[in-house]
Amino acid sequence: MAKRDVREPFIPERDKGLTPTIECIGLGIDFGGLTAVDDFNFTLGRTEIAGLIGPNGAGKTTVFNLLTKVYQPSRGRMLLLGKDTKGMTTAEANCAGIARTFQNIRLFKDLTVLENVLIGLHNEIRYTMFEAVFRLPRYWRAEKAARERALELLSIFNMQDMADDIAGSLPYGAQRRLEIVRALATNPTLLLLDEPAAGMNPAETAELMETIRRIRDMFKISILLIEHDMNLVMGICEGIAVLNYGRLIAKGTPEEIKSDPNVIEAYLGKKGC
Amino acid sequence: MKKNTVHIPMPIRYLINAAAIAAIYLIISALSSAGVITNYYTKILILICINIILAVSLNLVTGYLGQLPLGHAGFMAVGAYASGIFMRAVSGSMPTGLAVFLSLILAAIVAGIFGFIIGIPALRLKGDYLAIITLGFGEIIRVVLLNIDSVLGFNFTYGAASLKNIPKTTTFTLAFICVVVVCFLIHTMMKSRYGRAILSIRENEIASESCGIRTTYFKTMAFVVSAAFAGVAGSLYAGYLGILNPANFGFMKSIEILVMVVLGGMGSMIGSVVSAAVLSALPEVLRAFADYRMVAYSLLLILVMIFKPSGLMGTYDFSFTNLIGRLIGRISGKRTARKESAE
Ligand SMILES: Nc1ncnc2c1ncn2[C@@H]1O[C@H](COP(=O)(O)OP(=O)(O)OP(=O)(O)O)[C@@H](O)[C@H]1O
Ligand SMILES: [Mg+2]
């Protein structure tokens, strides 16, 4: 099998004709003297589920932070649906269609589950400050519709009965799922999941895998996930990119990645060492 | 708990709340026309109203937005002087009611503008830094009010000599209406997408930003609204005292308001209302110990921080209609329980 060039785009056949969701060209960022990510070339198809893997500290979360504009890149460009994202803020990147979850959960802990999702729906809810404080009909209508939408989104994970619970009081797995629901509420074209299965048991992970696939089919979006659980990654990702020390070392289908000597070396170390 | 609550539909909720507020007002005015509440107590009641507005408006930034500004008295001062100068200028040439209404609006606008000017740089900072920079701005406002006349030769604020002869237009009715309006506006704002955006910033700014919320915009908005309402309180204060001196709006006043908010429970509107009422009434009731007020405040604050760090009410927001709903729920719940056990 010929080895793929990590600089070449790799996307599923069915997405080839469409503008890719994101296109990173030579993306890189330095923190002081440390180059956390360098020469990151990556293309994601419109309905693709892709994985970003690599050993601890490889720079995976940093890539997410670059995509969501938490950091501005030191080098390179990033196109979202063909448009350059230079100078965007995190909020603007979200409005443009990038939603994410966090490696260390960042819920609005003291608010209810429903409120968490409603905050995700913030930009979908339309009324003015005036209509809100004087409680005009449009306020009631929009709030009612938002509430229904939020419950509908929660029902993807069967969480509608928890709507009035305080988010911080949920079990760990439910908090992770709520973060995904909140991200979906922002109506994204790209969903970034940072270690969604962390801390979940195998049964929960298997269920999560099914749900991720279902979300992609329901919303017709692309999903990029970081995950250390190889069963999950190999099970649902169509394309996988492997980072090591901030550089891409391999790209390809799960089968190609599994047998790639560079990847095996990055994960297990050189033979004999 | 949830299951035993009867949900009362919206228009009825409003009616119940309106009735409760009207009842409070009628009782107080009946008492004062019967002579039970003397003129002296009416004065205290007005002061309580002013402090309630200050506390609930600061709570917007401290409790809901989760920032710690220490310059609230500065915005009150701006509102008070704007309104005082306006009232002196128009007195006699305009019906009093209209003049008072305009002075309240003017005070809110001018204080809001100051909130905007100060908020833009201050809100780039967080925590202690924000506290210190707002403290500085508050002091700047006070010092400018004190010296602007003597330095620039205006007859504007009259500095340390005090701005005198402001028409005393603040009645209990006016102060009460302002409290109701301010509480209503803050309440309805907090129950909308705007309020949720503000809360989300307190909860987790990074997550908030990643949900598409322009955090800088909403922080500034909360800060401006808070300053504008402090201006309203200042306007009432000007019409209550009839004389303004920059010394009334020092750093200690900001601290006093903050103590009210923290004691009541940050993020609890009813907490702010109750603790503002109690803390404004206490020194008047305990006149003899007035000198020890700040000592008492500090002790109280320390005790609350030790025994109930979230404040007396925590983030609990009292809802009269929910209380009624729960009562009804409990009564009918008992009835169904009895029926079930009978079957
Ligand atoms: N803001 C920052 N300032 C300085 N260094 C940073 C910053 N963010 C990340 N780094 C560094 O960049 C490198 C990559 O970190 P990153 O969090 O992206 O790793 P990761 O692949 O997500 O690892 P893990 O699997 O442990 O989550 C690390 O060496 C980290 O210390
Ligand atoms: Mg990481």
Side-chain angles (χ1 to χ4, degrees):
Chain A
M1 190 162 31
K3 206 172 139 15
R4 256 170 230 290
D5 182 354
V6 292
R7 305 187 59 119
E8 290 301 313
F10 172 75
I11 57 175
E13 281 303 323
R14 65 167 189 284
D15 291 333
K16 283 245 165 82
L18 302 162
T19 324
T21 309
I22 48 167
E23 213 176 334
C24 299
I25 305 150
L27 214 55
I29 183 167
D30 308 325
F31 296 113
L34 175 94
T35 300
V37 173
D38 201 20
D39 200 20
F40 185 74
N41 293 288
F42 184 75
T43 311
L44 189 64
R46 284 290 268 281
T47 57
E48 182 179 358
I49 299 180
L52 184 60
I53 64 173
N56 289 113
K60 306 180 293 294
T61 300
T62 307
V63 167
F64 271 22
N65 285 335
L66 284 170
L67 296 179
T68 54
K69 294 288 162 182
V70 173
Y71 303 139
Q72 300 296 338
S74 311
R75 295 172 290 286
R77 294 197 304 148
M78 175 196 146
L79 309 180
L80 175 66
L81 296 174
K83 277 213 249 8
D84 203 324
T85 59
K86 196 169 187 315
M88 268 190 191
T89 64
T90 305
E92 284 163 358
N94 176 267
C95 296
I98 305 180
R100 76 177 288 187
T101 66
F102 296 89
Q103 185 170 359
N104 36 7
I105 303 174
R106 287 178 181 274
L107 283 174
F108 308 123
K109 277 210 213 75
D110 295 336
L111 306 182
T112 65
V113 168
L114 184 73
E115 283 169 318
N116 269 269
V117 185
L118 287 174
I119 290 167
L121 286 166
H122 178 83
N123 287 315
E124 309 282 303
I125 305 175
R126 296 199 190 277
Y127 49 72
T128 62
M129 176 70 123
F130 186 82
E131 287 165 322
V133 295
F134 293 106
R135 301 269 166 114
L136 300 185
R138 210 150 83 109
Y139 164 84
W140 294 111
R141 253 181 284 131
E143 283 289 307
K144 185 158 173 282
R147 203 190 145 84
E148 277 160 13
R149 178 81 185 129
L151 290 173
E152 194 181 310
L153 288 166
L154 281 169
S155 70
I156 295 174
F157 283 107
N158 248 326
M159 289 175 74
Q160 64 277 40
D161 295 337
M162 303 177 184
D164 291 323
D165 296 352
I166 298 297
S169 73
L170 296 183
Y172 189 78
Q175 293 196 14
R176 285 220 168 274
R177 290 190 282 269
L178 175 56
E179 248 201 335
I180 299 178
V181 175
R182 184 182 68 186
L184 281 173
T186 66
N187 192 18
T189 38
L190 165 63
L191 180 60
L192 303 173
L193 304 173
D194 200 340
E195 304 198 13
M200 287 189 180
N201 61 37
E204 281 180 311
T205 307
E207 203 187 316
L208 177 74
M209 234 161 101
E210 270 322 299
T211 319
I212 290 175
R213 221 180 258 133
R214 210 169 76 232
I215 288 172
R216 191 267 315 267
D217 296 339
M218 265 172 84
F219 294 87
K220 311 258 180 302
I221 57 178
S222 30
I223 297 176
L224 175 62
L225 54 91
I226 295 175
E227 190 47 70
H228 287 295
D229 184 325
M230 284 307 142
N231 286 330
L232 186 143
V233 175
M234 298 298 166
I236 58 173
C237 293
E238 298 157 85
I240 295 175
V242 190
L243 269 182
N244 196 20
Y245 296 113
R247 286 177 162 277
L248 279 175
I249 55 168
K251 227 186 224 173
T253 63
E255 283 65 39
E256 291 166 358
I257 295 298
K258 260 187 238 174
S259 55
D260 190 307
N262 283 341
V263 177
I264 296 168
E265 188 190 311
Y267 269 91
L268 301 176
K270 262 205 181 89
K271 271 210 188 99
C273 278
Chain B
M1 185 193 90
K2 288 257 155 48
K3 276 172 208 128
N4 266 332
T5 309
V6 172
H7 187 75
I8 300 174
M10 257 311 155
I12 302 176
R13 290 172 87 97
Y14 282 154
L15 284 180
I16 293 176
N17 283 326
I21 290 165
I24 294 174
Y25 174 73
L26 288 177
I27 290 170
I28 292 176
S29 38
L31 285 177
S32 66
S33 57
V36 182
I37 296 182
T38 59
N39 225 355
Y40 170 66
Y41 285 117
T42 309
K43 284 225 144 94
I44 298 179
L45 284 175
I46 295 175
L47 202 62
I48 289 178
C49 288
I50 293 173
N51 281 335
I52 288 178
I53 296 176
L54 288 170
V56 294
S57 61
L58 181 64
N59 184 39
L60 180 58
V61 173
T62 317
Y64 296 137
L65 184 66
Q67 309 291 333
L68 186 74
L70 290 180
H72 212 52
F75 300 124
M76 182 193 180
V78 169
Y81 272 90
S83 157
I85 292 167
F86 174 78
M87 286 304 280
R88 270 164 52 107
V90 301
S91 87
S93 64
M94 202 188 271
T96 317
L98 180 65
V100 169
F101 179 73
L102 289 180
S103 77
L104 285 168
I105 302 286
L106 179 77
I109 291 174
V110 176
I113 291 173
F114 272 75
F116 183 74
I117 295 169
I118 292 171
I120 294 268
L123 289 168
R124 299 179 147 255
L125 305 173
K126 288 200 176 77
D128 317 354
Y129 302 102
L130 179 89
I132 288 169
I133 193 174
T134 47
L135 187 153
F137 277 124
E139 284 299 284
I140 289 173
I141 289 175
R142 187 181 64 80
V143 171
V144 167
L145 289 173
L146 193 63
N147 297 310
I148 189 167
D149 279 11
S150 58
V151 172
L152 296 178
F154 295 148
N155 270 337
F156 203 46
T157 68
Y158 296 92
S162 299
L163 183 68
K164 294 189 184 107
N165 299 326
I166 303 166
K168 289 199 183 185
T169 48
T170 303
T171 59
F172 172 68
T173 308
L174 177 66
F176 189 83
I177 291 172
C178 287
V179 168
V180 172
V181 169
V182 168
C183 288
F184 175 80
L185 291 179
I186 292 182
H187 175 77
T188 49
M189 183 178 92
M190 288 314 296
K191 293 275 183 251
S192 73
R193 64 191 280 260
Y194 299 93
R196 285 193 297 263
I198 290 171
L199 287 176
S200 76
I201 295 171
R202 172 189 80 190
E203 292 291 309
N204 196 315
E205 204 172 327
I206 294 177
S208 175
E209 188 74 30
S210 84
C211 285
I213 291 168
R214 289 171 296 151
T215 53
T216 318
Y217 174 85
F218 283 98
K219 276 185 188 174
T220 314
M221 189 189 85
F223 204 72
V224 168
V225 172
S226 162
F229 287 146
V232 169
S235 172
L236 290 173
Y237 189 70
Y240 160 76
L241 276 188
I243 173 168
L244 292 174
N245 189 305
N248 297 349
F249 306 103
F251 162 62
M252 283 327 264
K253 181 66 192 174
S254 297
I255 296 290
E256 209 181 304
I257 307 166
L258 185 66
V259 169
M260 290 170 186
V261 174
V262 174
L263 271 186
M266 294 206 248
S268 161
M269 175 128 84
I270 188 70
S272 298
V273 171
V274 170
S275 79
V278 171
L279 289 183
S280 329
L282 265 187
E284 304 294 336
V285 177
L286 307 171
R287 265 274 161 214
F289 305 100
D291 292 344
Y292 301 103
R293 192 179 50 168
M294 287 329 281
V295 179
Y297 272 14
S298 324
L299 284 178
L300 209 56
L301 203 54
I302 292 170
L303 289 177
V304 169
M305 288 301 111
I306 292 173
F307 293 109
K308 194 138 191 333
S310 56
L312 294 177
M313 301 276 181
T315 55
Y316 173 75
D317 256 330
F318 174 79
S319 159
F320 188 60
T321 42
N322 278 354
L323 185 73
I324 293 179
R326 214 172 301 152
L327 280 177
I328 298 174
R330 190 154 317 152
I331 294 164
S332 59
K334 257 186 211 142
R335 215 175 290 146
T336 45
R338 220 173 290 146
K339 229 184 278 164
E340 269 162 21
S341 64
E343 273 166 11

